[in-house]
Amino acid sequence: MSERAVAVAFVVSILAALGLTAVYAAGGDPQVEGALLLLALGGLGVGLLGWAGGLLAHLGEHTEPRRRHPAADGDGDVAVATFEAGVAEVGRRRLLARLLAGAVAALGLAAVFPIRSLGSAPGSQLARTSWRRGVRLVTADGTPVQLGALELNTFTTVFPEDDVGSADAQAVLIRVDPTSLQLPPDRLAAAPQGHVAYSKLCTHAGCPLGLYLAATQELRCPCHQSTFDVLRGARPVYGPAPKPLPQLPLEVGPDGTLRAAGDFTEPVGPSWWDLPR
Amino acid sequence: MIVERVVRGLDERLDGGSFLRRNLTKVFPDHWSFMLGEIALYAFALLVLTGIFLTFFFQASPEPVVYDGPYAPMRGRTVSAAYDSVLRLSFEVRAGLVMRQTHHWAALLFMAAVVAHLLRVFFTGAFRKPRELTWVLGVLLLFAGIGAGFTGYSLPDDLLSGTGLRIIYSGVLSIPVVGAWAAFLFFGGEFPAHALLSRLYVLHVLLIPLVIAGLIGAHLALVWRQTHTQFPGPGRTEDTVTGIPVWPRFALKALGLMFVTWGVAAGLGGLVQINPVWLYGPFVPYSAPSPAQPDFYAGWLEGLLRLWPNWEFHLFGRTIGTLFLPAVVVPGVITFVLALWPWIEERVSGDHAAHHFAQRPREAPVRSGIGAAGVAFFTVLMLAGSNDVLAAFLSVEVDTLNGVLTAAVVVLPIACGLVTYRICRDLRDGGGHPIARPGRARVRRTAAGAFEVEHEPGGPAR
């Protein structure tokens, strides 16, 4: 770059930077600020690059020796000998050396324990949710779900009445034609008048299943496209999910609202090591 | 003069004069591809600067608050204090949105520069003895960068980041024996635990930046001490280094590159919207956005999850969750192979000598073939990470596309590897491009002592 071009770059930078202060004082505007920052910083950078590449080109390239990395000068051997002599000197007092090692190990052990404070024990939390027999199903805004209120072949997200928004108890309630459900008798009985509920947590990576494909009556996970057959016990028919969605057994309360008849048939979400089977 | 007094003062107390004398004239080889790592360094500096600004406004708290700021669609909604603070930072703090978006763009620029730098070092064999340790530090930087990016885009507590955290939680949960404990200790309990945001915040603004700064410092110290590699050329030898001295040319050039990097990041930050969390909405555990893609550097992990078969294993009456292989084992193996590559190549090739010349890819056809296979592998996985978007774009079913991608993730790396190997071998042995005939020039000296040049242009192979 010529001297003139470098000068132009610096002038652009100065003007853009002054413009920035004006824009800020006037209340700011992200787009204008971005454009001016590009010019202010870019002008400075281009000017410097032009200066180094063009105006200083006459300085040319230099050559200097590389620092060698010889292993042959013996320094390493001397260092090893010094270290080992020290170890031998310290190690002569065997009892003390062993006690020292013991003290370090014991301290290390003691230092590990506070890690336990970082979280609660998994225990049975993972295997249970807050659904219990008799708990009413409510939607995200807390409204109880009446039997028959849901349109045929549509779905809604439901929670236990006392745990709205729950991450593990969330369930999808779908109303289908009762004669189309292909479930074992006990699970069919837990789907009154075609109201069938499954855990909303995908058994692959635990994403909430947000998509109901009404035409094929399948639930699909928006994250990795695992697909579950609603009519056949939500068994996986496509994608990376390895096992069916647990079913939430339902019953109808005296006030005509849908209620849980117990917790899910299986632990919800993806599998883990201690998964009760 | 001030400089003179400072240098003399340092010299008298620390013998700093000889250090400065040696290093101001230290020579750095000059090649466009050597600046990729520098861009990562300058992007990191910009990340620190913009990040400090953001910490003054961000609140890492999941406490519910009712948003009453200027963004109308969200007004009256109960959101976390974290999400609320990001909206306020974006819409009410002057220059806040530019800072936030520049921070995000600088993160993408950092990762892109790190990846490009890694490819350059790989394909030119610059990682060979004595620079293996520099390579390992670089690989660690790559993964520290992924960690920084992930914890960073999880902080706004929006729907997209919450879904990503849920997937990571499930991945940790899948580890045999210790999975449930590890997930509960790291996340502070069953997902989504109250403690998580403040933990991610400490990781993002303190621990990971310290690790990255330490790794960069060690990486640069090694480059400085061992000298940079250079391409062979007239007058260049293995025992010498040819290039431009630190002062003034290299310093001016480096500063110039820094400001250009910052200008590009800030320009993008002001002009190109990124991570508009107000469109995604606040995190609720019972909803997920669709389509949802992570930032580009995590795309291959996402692709692995989408393509991996639905295998689940049972061992001694216990369960190995389906995520364990694609989310833990495969990335772990890839990390190890990448980090240990200099020694793997040394063992296989039997070349234990120190090298200071960088190679052209054609000079190591096997390595270049493996590198091309790796690039193809990661590219297909990245595409698979966006299979829903891609399927909609191509108007095909996701199921159909997944079949193609699953085949491609196996076939394409092998094909790319073999083709690259052949091209490199032919180039090395033939000295010309396999699909082009090189141009020639015939130089003739006339009786009068002048030279005549007769050009014969290159063209397609005969």
Side-chain angles (χ1 to χ4, degrees):
Chain A
M1 268 168 89
S2 67
E3 189 169 350
R4 176 179 299 210
V6 173
V8 168
F10 286 155
V11 168
V12 166
S13 179
I14 292 169
L15 293 177
L18 292 176
L20 265 176
T21 60
V23 170
Y24 184 89
D29 178 284
Q31 282 82 27
V32 179
E33 281 163 359
L36 289 175
L37 278 166
L38 176 65
L39 291 176
L41 292 163
L44 198 52
V46 168
L48 283 167
L49 285 176
W51 200 332
L55 305 184
L56 295 177
H58 63 276
L59 295 178
E61 287 199 320
H62 291 221
T63 297
E64 66 179 12
R66 272 184 209 276
R67 198 196 301 269
R68 301 299 293 158
H69 304 275
D73 59 6
D75 279 355
D77 296 341
V78 174
V80 168
T82 309
F83 179 77
E84 283 178 348
V87 168
E89 189 63 33
V90 172
R92 233 161 24 94
R93 301 186 193 276
R94 282 227 160 151
L95 179 68
L96 286 187
R98 280 181 187 167
L99 285 175
L100 175 65
V104 170
L107 254 173
L109 185 69
V112 168
F113 275 80
I115 293 176
R116 173 65 188 80
S117 308
L118 290 177
S120 54
S124 57
Q125 275 184 67
L126 276 172
R128 277 184 299 136
T129 73
S130 52
W131 288 109
R132 301 172 315 279
R133 175 159 212 151
V135 175
R136 291 201 293 181
L137 274 60
V138 299
T139 54
D141 57 6
T143 319
V145 183
Q146 293 284 335
L147 181 74
L150 197 63
E151 298 251 350
L152 196 66
N153 209 15
T154 60
F155 88 121
T156 186
T157 304
V158 291
F159 303 94
E161 191 171 16
D162 51 1
D163 196 9
V164 177
S166 167
D168 62 348
Q170 55 176 300
V172 278
L173 175 70
I174 308 141
R175 185 177 174 192
V176 295
D177 177 4
T179 59
S180 64
L181 273 173
Q182 297 174 36
L183 294 171
D186 56 324
R187 291 182 60 172
L188 197 59
Q193 296 181 28
H195 291 74
V196 62
Y198 296 107
S199 163
K200 201 181 175 180
L201 284 186
C202 183
T203 55
H204 173 231
C207 288
L209 293 154
L211 308 170
Y212 178 59
L213 313 174
T216 50
Q217 291 178 299
E218 289 169 339
L219 280 165
R220 178 167 276 194
C221 179
C223 290
H224 309 106
Q225 292 96 37
S226 292
T227 309
F228 302 88
D229 185 343
V230 168
L231 299 181
R232 289 175 188 77
R235 66 186 174 90
V237 289
Y238 180 75
K243 51 178 195 175
L245 301 171
Q247 188 180 345
L248 180 70
L250 301 181
E251 57 186 28
V252 183
D255 55 351
T257 55
L258 283 168
R259 295 163 187 248
D263 202 350
F264 289 106
T265 51
E266 306 269 335
V268 300
S271 304
W272 71 100
W273 184 249
D274 298 313
L275 178 74
R277 296 182 64 210
Chain B
M1 216 185 112
I2 282 223
V3 173
E4 193 183 331
R5 280 176 58 187
V6 169
V7 169
R8 186 169 301 152
L10 285 174
D11 202 14
E12 284 165 0
R13 287 163 183 83
L14 300 166
D15 190 22
S18 74
F19 175 85
L20 283 175
R21 198 193 61 187
R22 263 185 291 120
N23 286 296
L24 282 177
T25 56
K26 190 178 173 67
V27 155
F28 274 88
D30 199 18
H31 187 268
W32 66 266
S33 69
F34 297 167
M35 73 182 184
L36 296 168
E38 270 185 73
I39 293 176
L41 173 69
Y42 306 139
F44 177 69
L46 184 61
L47 280 164
V48 172
L49 292 177
T50 51
I52 289 172
F53 184 85
L54 300 181
T55 60
F56 296 141
F57 303 96
F58 177 70
Q59 292 180 0
S61 160
E63 291 302 329
V65 296
V66 176
Y67 177 73
D68 62 355
Y71 184 65
M74 208 54 77
R75 215 175 288 152
R77 270 183 81 170
T78 304
V79 300
S80 69
Y83 187 79
D84 181 74
S85 71
V86 174
L87 257 52
R88 290 185 183 281
L89 164 69
S90 303
F91 295 126
E92 291 168 58
V93 175
R94 225 183 270 186
L97 185 60
V98 171
M99 287 285 189
R100 200 185 129 238
Q101 295 197 137
T102 302
H103 190 73
H104 202 133
W105 275 115
L108 294 187
L109 209 58
F110 175 81
M111 290 306 294
V114 167
V115 170
H117 179 55
L118 180 134
L119 289 175
R120 193 277 292 173
V121 170
F122 182 86
F123 281 107
T124 61
F127 56 80
R128 291 176 300 168
K129 193 178 175 182
R131 294 179 180 80
E132 303 99 323
L133 191 56
T134 323
W135 166 268
V136 174
L137 292 172
V139 172
L140 292 178
L141 267 169
L142 174 72
F143 286 91
I146 293 179
F150 187 79
T151 51
Y153 73 65
S154 296
L155 288 178
D157 202 28
D158 59 300
L159 198 51
L160 187 61
S161 67
T163 309
L165 282 172
R166 172 86 226 195
I167 296 170
I168 297 274
Y169 170 82
S170 300
V172 178
L173 197 64
S174 73
I175 300 170
V177 188
V178 298
W181 271 100
F184 270 55
L185 292 183
F186 184 78
F187 286 82
E190 190 174 7
F191 186 85
H194 198 267
L196 185 55
L197 262 179
S198 56
R199 258 176 219 189
L200 290 173
Y201 188 53
V202 170
L203 283 174
H204 184 71
V205 305
L206 180 72
L207 275 172
I208 298 177
L210 273 183
V211 167
I212 292 182
L215 288 171
I216 290 180
H219 192 83
L220 288 182
L222 285 178
V223 172
W224 202 278
R225 164 119 187 132
Q226 293 183 321
T227 69
H228 205 285
T229 53
Q230 64 189 359
F231 286 107
R236 296 181 179 190
T237 68
E238 283 267 0
D239 297 329
T240 57
V241 50
T242 301
I244 56 179
V246 166
W247 188 255
R249 256 187 104 188
F250 185 77
L252 286 193
K253 221 180 141 178
L255 274 177
L257 187 57
M258 181 179 85
F259 284 118
V260 169
T261 305
W262 290 9
V264 169
L268 286 167
L271 294 167
V272 187
Q273 175 172 279
I274 190 162
N275 203 23
V277 291
W278 48 91
L279 297 182
Y280 307 148
F283 171 67
V284 285
Y286 50 87
S287 189
S290 177
Q293 269 67 41
D295 278 349
F296 85 91
Y297 46 83
W300 63 281
L301 291 162
E302 176 76 8
L304 265 175
L305 291 194
R306 292 187 186 206
L307 291 189
W308 199 265
N310 59 347
W311 295 333
E312 191 157 285
F313 303 102
H314 300 286
L315 201 70
F316 316 123
R318 305 290 184 157
T319 309
I320 296 178
T322 182
L323 286 186
F324 181 56
L325 287 177
V328 182
V329 174
V330 174
V333 169
I334 288 174
T335 311
F336 259 92
V337 170
L338 197 61
L340 298 180
W341 180 260
W343 291 280
I344 294 172
E345 188 180 303
E346 206 176 306
R347 174 71 68 86
V348 172
S349 69
D351 178 5
H352 299 286
H355 296 277
H356 297 289
F357 274 147
Q359 291 173 305
R360 289 192 293 176
R362 68 183 63 172
E363 291 169 61
V366 175
R367 180 206 300 142
S368 297
I370 291 171
V375 171
F377 179 71
F378 284 104
T379 306
V380 175
L381 283 183
M382 238 170 92
L383 290 176
S386 301
N387 59 359
D388 44 355
V389 180
L390 201 60
F393 178 72
L394 299 172
S395 308
V396 294
E397 285 291 316
V398 170
D399 316 15
T400 319
L401 183 66
N402 271 5
V404 175
L405 287 170
T406 309
V409 84
V410 178
V411 175
L412 216 60
I414 296 174
C416 287
L418 287 176
V419 168
T420 306
Y421 169 76
R422 272 302 298 267
I423 291 177
C424 287
R425 212 188 51 183
D426 289 356
L427 279 172
R428 181 190 62 186
D429 299 343
H433 200 276
I435 57 168
R437 189 160 41 85
R440 292 176 190 178
R442 191 163 298 181
V443 183
R444 195 181 297 117
R445 192 173 174 201
T446 62
F451 291 98
E452 276 178 1
V453 184
E454 196 181 301
H455 287 287
E456 185 192 324
R462 275 170 291 207

